[in-house]
Structures are given as C-alpha cells and as structure tokens.
Amino acid sequence: MTNTEIISNLLTRQDTWRGRNRRLPRSTICTGHKDLNALLQGGWPASALIELMPQQLGIGELSLLLPTLKNHSHNGHLCLWLDPPYQPYAPSLSAAGIALDKLIIVRSKNIKEWLWVAEQSIRNGALLLAWVRQQPARYTQLRKLQLAAAESNSSAFIFSPIAALSAPSPATLRLKLDSQYIHQLQITLCKLRGRVAGAKLQLNLQQYPSQRTALNQLPTGRHRTYSDSAMLASQNSPLHN
Amino acid sequence: MTMRYQRQEIWLYLQFPLLSLEALLPELSPEQQSKPIAVISSEKNTQRVLCCNSQAGAWGIEPNLSISTALVLCPELMTLSRQPEKEQQQLQQLALLAYSFSPVVILPNERKQKSNNFKFSTRPLGLWLEISGCDKLFKGYNNLLQALAKKLQDQSISSVTGIAHNPMAAQLLCQPEFQCQLPTTTEIQQQLLSTNLSQLDCSTYQQQSFKRLGLNHVGDLLALSRSALSRRFDHQLMDIIAQLKNEKPFSARRFQPANSFRDVIQNTQGIFNKENLLFPMKTLLQRLCLYLSARYCHCRELEWHFEPLIGEAKTMKVQLSSRHNNWSDLLLLSRLQLERLELPRSIEQITLFSNQFIDVPQGSFNLDLFGEHHCSEQSSELIDRLNARLGIDALSRPTLNQDYLPEQASSLANIDKQTDDNPNKKSTAPQPLWLLTEPAPIQIRNQQLYWHQPLTIVSGPERICGNWWQTEQQRDYYLACDSSGARYWLFRETSSQRWFIHGLFS
C-alpha cells in the first residue's frame, strides 16, 4: 500500500480526528425524530459504536430506536439483539412496523461469546443492539467493537448501565437517557465529535391517555366472570322460553 | 463420412494409467510415497505388477512383471495390493471433475466389465468426454484441454488422452501423453487407419484370425466391404467396426452425479489434534463443492463422522441456511462447530456425508450491480456462523401467535422455523415492548402498588380474556409508572384480585 492510500484510508474513517475542521460531511442514519436529528447533526453516526445509558429500564430507551429498526428491517437487513433484558413482545414490535423475520435474539453465555457475537454481527452488516449485562465491558473490548464498526457499514447500539457514565468509552456517540415526566424522554449528550457535551433534549414518546389514578379510586367490585355471563346468556336464550 | 453430421462430435478419451496406484497413495505418508512402490494384482494364482511409480521404474520394474522378479530387481520395493473399490471411487471423482468441462461424460460400462473381467482388469481405467461445442466457454479447444490437464495435475492424477470423432476411435488412438492440441480431421483419420490391429479390444482368437487374413492395420479392416466382414467375423466386431466408421451411435448412459454425497479420507497414522483435522476436512469439502456445482444445487446440511480406531465414532451436523458453494465458508462453519465438539484422542477416518440439497433457484446469478442479493447472503452467513459457534438454542426470533393472552400471543421460536407475519388484531390499547417471561406478583403497601418502588396507575383498564377452555383467565391490564418515569404493564386477575407486573414499556 502506498502512503497516499494509507492516508486516504485513514481519512475516510469515522474515528479519525481532523483538527479544527468541525464541519465534516459525515454519513448519518436518520433517527426518525426531527429534534434528535438536529442534536446529532443529521442522525445516528454511521459506521460507529453508539452507547446509550438509560437511567433505568422502561423509560423509553427502546422506543427511541423503533424508527431506526423499522427502516433497517424494511431494507431487508438483519437486526440482532444480543442479551436483551426481557423477552421482546412480538405484537407491539409488529405494530411498530418491524419485520419480525429480520429479528434475531441471541443469548450469550459469557463475555467472550458476547464480544464474538457482537463483532460478527457488526462485520456482517447487521444492526446490533447489545445489552451489557454480565459485567461492565472494558475499554479495550469496546474499542474492538468500535474498530469493527468503523471498518464496516453498520452502526451498533450498546446499552450500558448508568454506572458506565463515569468510565471512559471509545464509542463515537454516548447518550444518557432519563425521564423527568412520564412519556418524556430526556436525552443528554455525553460525547459526540464536533459537539460540546451536555446538550439536553426532551423527546415526547408515543402518547397514551394520561390521567393518574390512585388505587383506591379504581373501579372496584368483582368483574363478571365468564361463567356468570354464560349463565345469564342461557337464561335469556330463546330456547328456554 | 464427415458430411453426415451437422456438428461433428469430438470425443476425448481420458485414460488414467496409474489410477490403481494413485487411488492408494493418499493413505501413505510423504516419506513412504517417495519410495519405489508397485501395485500388485493377483490373477490365476500369480501375482503380477499392475503399475508402479517412477522411482520403481528407475529400478527396472515394469507392468506385467511377476512379483518375485520385481523383488529381485528392487529389494526395497513396497508392494500394495490392488483395491478395485478405491479405484472406482476415484474414477467417480474424476468423472465429476470431467463433468465441469462437458455435459457428456461416459464411464466404461459396468456390465461389459463383468462379462469380460480378465480384459478389463489389466486395462487401465478411463472415461470419455464429448467436447464439441464446449469450446466457447473456454475460448477454444486447446484452452479447454490445457485447463483439464491442469486440473488433473492439481489432483496429482497422471493421464493420457486420445481424440477422435467417435468414442471407439478415441480409445484406440490413445497417445502416451496428454495432448493439449486438438488434431485436425485428416490427422485423426490417418492415425486411425495406421493403428495396429493388436490394439483393438477383442479376443485372442479374433487377433489370430486377423493375422491369418493378413490384416495388420485398422485401415485394412475398414477397407473390406460389409458383406466380406460379416461372413468372417462375429457381430461384436461388426459393432466395433460400425462405430469406428461412425455408422452406429455409441450407446452408453451418460454420467450423472449421484443423489447423495459421501466421501471418506483415511489416515492410518491417526490425527491427534483438531488443527490437523482441518487439512483432510478441506480436501473433502473441495470435493463436495465440485459435486455441488456439477449438480447445480446448494447444500442444507453437512454430516461429519470422525472415527477413531477403537471406540465410538463422533458425528457432527452442520446446518446451513443456503448459498454456500464455497469450500472456505463451509470449512469455517465446520471449524467453529468443531471447537465445541469433544473428540476421541486419535481420529483414523473422516467421512463427509450430505443428502439434503436444494436446487439453485432460477436466475440467482448475481447480475445486479448494486448488490441487493448481497445483504441477504450476508445475513444467512451470519446466522450460520452464530449457529455453528453457539448452538441452535442460543438463537431465537420473536413470533406472533393467534392468541389473546400476552404470554401466548408472543413467543420465542427457533431460528430455522419459518414465521408467517400476520398482524391479526390491532389493539388500540398501549402495549409494551418488553414482556416478563412470567408475570411477577406485586405487593400493595398503604393503598399503593409496590414493585421495587411505588407505582401509580396512569391509564386502563384493558380487559383480556383467554384460555377459557382450561382455567379461565380474565385480566384487566393497566399502564403504571414509577417516580423516575419508567412505565410498566400491570394486570389484576379478576378472580383472585391479585396484582401482577407483566411487562415494561420501553
């Protein structure tokens, strides 16, 4: 390889820092949320490792990725979920427009397998969603995945526990996710090249009717069971008349 | 004579003079292979040299020598007894190789071989190819012949050829070397007419009658009129003459690849570690790929058998999604799975078997410029790799079922099961993305639901009934949240009034 070739190879990589030139044309993937696109300067960085750190599970961290997942699966690409914390609920995924036959769930037995699967998935162009479960992934391990992502065409999303926030990470983009109000996801930018960390964004998630109810105000009394209604129906049926 | 055919057939006869030896060589170690070796066949209680390698030839050993003479000439001669099954197996492989050069490959007739056992056992094995019309693919007949010669050399098989316009003549004109130039029609004709009659495949009685009649060359025989010939010779010879004159078509079944693939490599020394297994495995997979491209199909499953000298054989099945006609991919997958396998200490015999094939779908040639096929190819490759390394149980896929109870409406199915994506009932009520595998009971503290922390109900209820034919389930589902904004899917069982958490909105 000649010198110019090496340099041009280096320059095409996402993770090469290029001095003051902050307005680099980068390839991005649309997030499906207008405000978030603006925050991330176009969308999720392509060919990069993205680390998401939710304060807690269940605040809407997966809904954030639903538009991305939908686009990806409709282009015929595979999406791999590595060690999800719970079982994905197929009816709601299907209702969100995700092709279920493009979804694979993989359970790893140890961190070695976890890393191997993650790397294979990235290198084979699948969209990776990986949950760090067993033990916090170390810098060198994540660095390996970041390198794999930089060499391939795909993005990889890693869900780390909030405790990982204090540790350094090689990921191109790091976001902290928490929620102050219900149905509102607060996104805090922790790291993105060309942006100052600390920018915040409130994102409205899917709206459900929301009026809070205390338990003692709930409709009480035993609901009519099937056997009751069956008895009622038999009493009213024309056969008995 | 040539005017009778619209397209003149060109028959290539490939003869393998050392096949009996070469079929046995792979079992020997490299240092053994460099010694003088001869293959011995026993006929009528006498043991004679059938063929020998060049090292033995240097000592003056030649075919038809008796074994005692051979051992006198070269005391350190290594003698191997002939194994006709191995030769046949090797010949089948060579036929497969020839099949990639021409669609018409003909193996010597087995029936004739049995009736005429003595004749055929000493004659080296060979096969025919009809190569007219195959020149375009290889840009000329000479290129075709060169490519074939190279392929055979790669397999370390020595071969000689004969080329003519009919199979019988091609066999008669077999040269002592591999011809890489196609002879012209007149050359072929001249050669044929001047061939000695003793080369003709017929009985000794017939040969004697040729001598008595003063016929020395094939030309003399062909010059005689049909009536003159039929008075003197039997119908078998008349058949041969008719074929030589192109008057009668060659009636033999074309070679077709077998319905299943099985190949064995033996290693008498034994293989002690997995790294050393890869080399014979590679050879077997290369043969499989040749077979697959001949049959124009993909393989669904590979079955490996590793047999030790003593003890039970180990079997390893490699599942393949499709689109693997490349031996290096297959080797990689087999290798990944091999890492998980406990093998006996020493392996003597490796067998590769496969009988599950699917045809390559029509028009699956990758002609599109933008690589749309590429991504599905990549994904099936990824699935195969994960399967091979982690086992089939580690992979699953969420599937929809026709049921109302959430735990039954969604399940994790095996990856190789085809799913039908039917969005049946669209619920307007909120549904979570995560489901707990089993509903977890929730406590009630001070009129408040409590799971890790206090929960407040946001909306609901949605009633879901199901399973009425067994134990009836009637549940009211609510959306609840905790103080940090996490949202949960709760339900109250109407019969027992107990609260459970069933999922997380994420």
Side-chain angles (χ1 to χ4, degrees):
Chain A
M1 217 190 279
T2 61
N3 280 347
T4 47
E5 239 177 291
I6 294 171
I7 290 170
S8 63
N9 275 353
L10 278 174
L11 289 182
T12 49
R13 291 177 61 118
Q14 284 281 328
D15 52 350
T16 308
W17 185 73
R18 293 177 79 178
R20 287 173 195 189
N21 191 355
R22 286 182 179 176
R23 298 223 165 262
L24 276 180
R26 312 180 295 153
S27 57
T28 51
I29 300 163
C30 179
T31 62
H33 306 278
K34 217 169 137 196
D35 297 339
L36 187 60
N37 281 349
L39 180 78
L40 302 178
Q41 297 177 324
W44 305 118
S47 310
L49 189 72
I50 297 159
E51 197 178 7
L52 303 175
M53 290 163 289
Q55 180 83 49
Q56 190 181 352
L57 287 175
I59 53 171
E61 71 280 5
L62 199 58
S63 312
L64 184 69
L65 298 181
L66 282 182
T68 319
L69 283 171
K70 184 181 164 189
N71 278 338
H72 196 82
S73 72
H74 278 261
N75 291 340
H77 293 280
L78 211 61
C79 179
L80 194 142
W81 293 21
L82 178 56
D83 283 351
Y86 301 103
Q87 179 187 329
Y89 189 51
S92 55
L93 289 175
S94 174
I98 293 164
L100 291 181
D101 59 334
K102 292 286 167 211
L103 212 69
I104 303 182
I105 291 157
V106 182
R107 301 260 169 218
S108 68
K109 286 188 213 69
N110 47 44
I111 185 78
K112 214 172 130 194
E113 265 188 17
W114 188 89
L115 277 169
W116 184 82
V117 175
E119 195 183 337
Q120 287 296 321
S121 153
I122 293 169
R123 289 197 189 275
N124 279 280
L127 184 75
L128 174 75
L129 267 67
W131 281 263
V132 177
R133 281 205 311 166
Q134 282 107 353
Q135 62 202 67
R138 266 181 283 143
Y139 187 90
T140 45
Q141 293 166 339
L142 289 179
R143 172 81 185 146
K144 208 173 161 192
L145 298 186
Q146 161 68 31
L147 285 176
E151 281 162 18
S152 73
N153 244 334
S154 54
S155 299
F157 294 90
I158 306 278
F159 290 93
S160 298
I162 194 77
L165 194 59
S166 55
S169 162
T172 308
L173 171 65
R174 296 185 90 192
L175 294 177
K176 182 185 153 206
L177 309 174
D178 53 10
S179 176
Q180 304 283 319
Y181 310 100
I182 186 163
H183 304 317
Q184 279 223 331
L185 186 67
Q186 179 172 272
I187 302 170
T188 314
L189 189 69
C190 299
K191 177 184 170 187
L192 178 66
R193 208 162 301 124
R195 285 298 300 254
V196 180
K200 279 190 179 159
L201 174 72
Q202 293 283 341
L203 208 63
N204 276 328
L205 300 174
Q206 197 178 350
Q207 281 294 333
Y208 301 120
S210 78
Q211 71 274 3
R212 299 192 180 207
T213 321
L215 193 58
N216 52 11
Q217 287 167 353
L218 275 179
T220 47
R222 197 161 168 268
H223 294 285
R224 189 182 285 152
T225 60
Y226 178 78
S227 49
D228 291 344
S229 57
M231 212 161 74
L232 245 163
S234 67
Q235 280 170 358
N236 293 342
S237 70
L239 279 176
H240 283 265
N241 293 335
Chain B
M1 194 164 78
T2 54
M3 293 302 286
R4 294 181 50 220
Y5 291 92
Q6 287 179 331
R7 191 185 72 188
Q8 197 167 31
E9 293 181 349
I10 303 174
W11 286 88
L12 171 73
Y13 182 68
L14 269 178
Q15 196 177 56
F16 310 108
L18 297 179
L19 193 71
S20 323
L21 175 67
E22 280 154 349
L24 301 175
L25 277 185
E27 288 171 29
L28 302 178
S29 64
E31 60 263 36
Q32 278 176 320
Q33 285 183 20
S34 60
K35 285 180 183 160
I37 308 171
V39 177
I40 306 297
S41 74
S42 46
E43 295 150 10
K44 296 178 185 167
N45 298 330
T46 55
Q47 291 189 312
R48 289 184 182 280
V49 173
L50 189 69
C51 58
C52 59
N53 63 358
S54 55
Q55 287 90 331
W59 285 85
I61 312 272
E62 51 186 39
N64 273 330
L65 229 58
S66 76
I67 187 166
S68 46
T69 320
L71 283 172
V72 168
L73 283 172
C74 170
E76 57 194 76
L77 182 72
M78 192 167 141
T79 56
L80 302 169
S81 58
R82 191 186 174 193
Q83 296 187 24
E85 321 85 65
K86 286 257 166 72
E87 285 168 34
Q88 281 301 324
Q89 203 187 340
Q90 185 80 47
L91 192 65
Q92 287 287 333
Q93 267 170 38
L94 290 167
L96 216 50
L97 189 139
Y99 196 65
S100 59
F101 285 85
S102 160
V104 186
V105 174
I106 290 171
L107 288 172
N109 203 336
E110 278 167 33
R111 187 169 43 83
K112 194 175 167 189
Q113 205 176 332
K114 269 176 199 155
S115 65
N116 219 341
N117 212 351
F118 175 65
K119 269 260 160 265
F120 258 82
S121 60
T122 47
R123 211 175 237 276
L125 288 167
L127 49 87
W128 287 273
L129 278 90
E130 209 277 298
I131 54 169
S132 68
C134 302
D135 54 331
K136 265 195 184 159
L137 181 61
F138 294 90
K139 300 190 179 73
Y141 288 111
N142 293 346
N143 284 341
L144 185 149
L145 290 171
Q146 273 160 24
L148 183 58
K150 183 160 188 315
K151 269 276 163 76
L152 289 169
Q153 221 170 44
D154 290 347
Q155 302 257 324
S156 53
I157 296 289
S158 44
S159 55
V160 297
T161 56
I163 300 168
H165 295 304
N166 61 63
M168 199 53 77
Q171 194 176 7
L172 265 184
L173 292 181
C174 203
Q175 303 292 314
E177 88 238 311
F178 197 100
Q179 297 155 278
C180 286
Q181 298 285 328
L182 193 75
T184 61
T185 310
T186 40
E187 274 172 8
I188 292 171
Q189 198 61 23
Q190 274 171 9
Q191 273 180 11
L192 180 64
L193 295 181
S194 60
T195 307
N196 208 314
L197 268 179
S198 59
Q199 307 267 324
L200 210 60
D201 177 27
C202 52
S203 62
T204 29
Y205 171 75
Q206 206 100 67
Q207 295 283 1
Q208 279 168 0
S209 67
F210 287 147
K211 272 185 196 151
R212 263 178 283 149
L213 287 166
L215 302 173
N216 293 325
H217 301 287
V218 176
D220 302 341
L221 196 65
L222 294 184
L224 291 176
S225 73
R226 191 183 165 82
S227 56
L229 284 167
S230 58
R231 245 182 296 139
R232 291 181 174 88
F233 304 112
D234 62 353
H235 72 99
Q236 223 175 348
L237 189 71
M238 294 300 292
D239 262 7
I240 294 175
I241 291 170
Q243 282 183 24
L244 282 177
K245 284 184 166 177
N246 281 354
E247 279 164 2
K248 199 179 169 205
F250 189 56
S251 63
R253 219 159 46 85
R254 285 183 182 192
F255 166 77
Q256 286 285 333
N259 281 332
S260 64
F261 178 88
R262 174 186 286 278
D263 209 337
V264 185
I265 285 190
Q266 273 185 333
N267 190 314
T268 41
Q269 272 91 42
I271 297 169
F272 292 92
N273 69 41
K274 286 180 178 173
E275 284 300 308
N276 294 353
L277 269 178
L278 293 176
F279 188 72
M281 282 168 77
K282 179 180 133 189
T283 316
L284 285 174
L285 285 172
Q286 280 171 337
R287 290 180 194 166
L288 173 72
C289 288
L290 195 66
Y291 171 84
L292 289 178
S293 62
R295 275 200 56 189
Y296 202 55
C297 61
H298 290 311
C299 183
R300 299 278 300 166
E301 190 185 82
L302 299 178
E303 214 177 295
W304 291 96
H305 297 275
F306 302 101
E307 284 173 43
L309 184 61
I310 310 156
E312 291 252 320
K314 272 272 177 189
T315 305
M316 178 176 90
K317 285 187 181 177
V318 183
Q319 302 283 339
L320 306 165
S321 52
S322 63
R323 297 194 182 87
H324 290 286
N325 269 11
N326 183 347
W327 63 264
S328 55
D329 285 352
L330 295 174
L331 184 64
L332 181 72
L333 292 176
S334 306
R335 187 181 182 171
L336 285 173
Q337 197 154 334
L338 192 66
E339 280 170 22
R340 290 192 293 140
L341 197 72
E342 287 251 337
L343 284 179
R345 224 168 63 78
S346 141
I347 306 290
E348 291 252 316
Q349 185 173 321
I350 307 166
T351 312
L352 176 60
F353 174 75
S354 181
N355 61 356
Q356 295 188 20
F357 304 106
I358 41 163
D359 291 340
V360 174
Q362 283 289 313
S364 74
F365 284 108
N366 207 348
L367 294 177
D368 62 326
L369 282 169
F370 304 104
E372 298 237 331
H373 279 297
H374 195 62
C375 75
S376 68
E377 226 165 89
Q378 258 191 341
S379 55
S380 69
E381 217 170 89
L382 175 65
I383 294 175
D384 283 347
R385 262 185 220 181
L386 296 176
N387 258 340
R389 164 94 188 242
L390 309 173
I392 192 90
D393 300 331
L395 272 70
S396 54
R397 161 178 292 163
T399 43
L400 282 174
N401 300 324
Q402 296 276 5
D403 211 305
Y404 287 98
L405 282 187
E407 62 263 41
Q408 280 156 16
S410 165
S411 61
L412 290 180
N414 222 328
I415 194 83
D416 52 357
K417 218 166 84 182
Q418 281 298 319
T419 52
D420 44 340
D421 213 353
N422 49 348
N424 39 3
K425 59 225 155 132
K426 280 261 166 87
S427 172
T428 48
Q431 285 193 316
L433 283 168
W434 293 131
L435 197 70
L436 268 62
T437 13
E438 287 218 346
I442 322 177
Q443 301 170 336
I444 299 179
R445 292 183 189 171
N446 305 330
Q447 290 289 315
Q448 192 152 40
L449 296 165
Y450 196 92
W451 194 64
H452 298 312
Q453 49 183 315
L455 307 178
T456 330
I457 285 174
V458 177
S459 68
E462 180 205 11
R463 175 162 292 188
I464 295 177
C465 302
N467 216 11
W468 51 266
W469 56 92
Q470 285 177 335
T471 46
E472 198 200 344
Q473 296 275 332
Q474 197 178 57
R475 300 170 181 174
D476 290 332
Y477 275 88
Y478 296 90
L479 196 164
C481 73
D482 62 15
S483 58
S484 58
R487 295 161 305 158
Y488 302 92
W489 207 33
L490 314 179
F491 71 84
R492 181 165 67 166
E493 221 175 33
T494 49
S495 53
S496 64
Q497 296 282 329
R498 283 169 65 207
W499 287 86
F500 293 90
I501 179 162
H502 205 180
L504 275 86
F505 291 82
S506 182

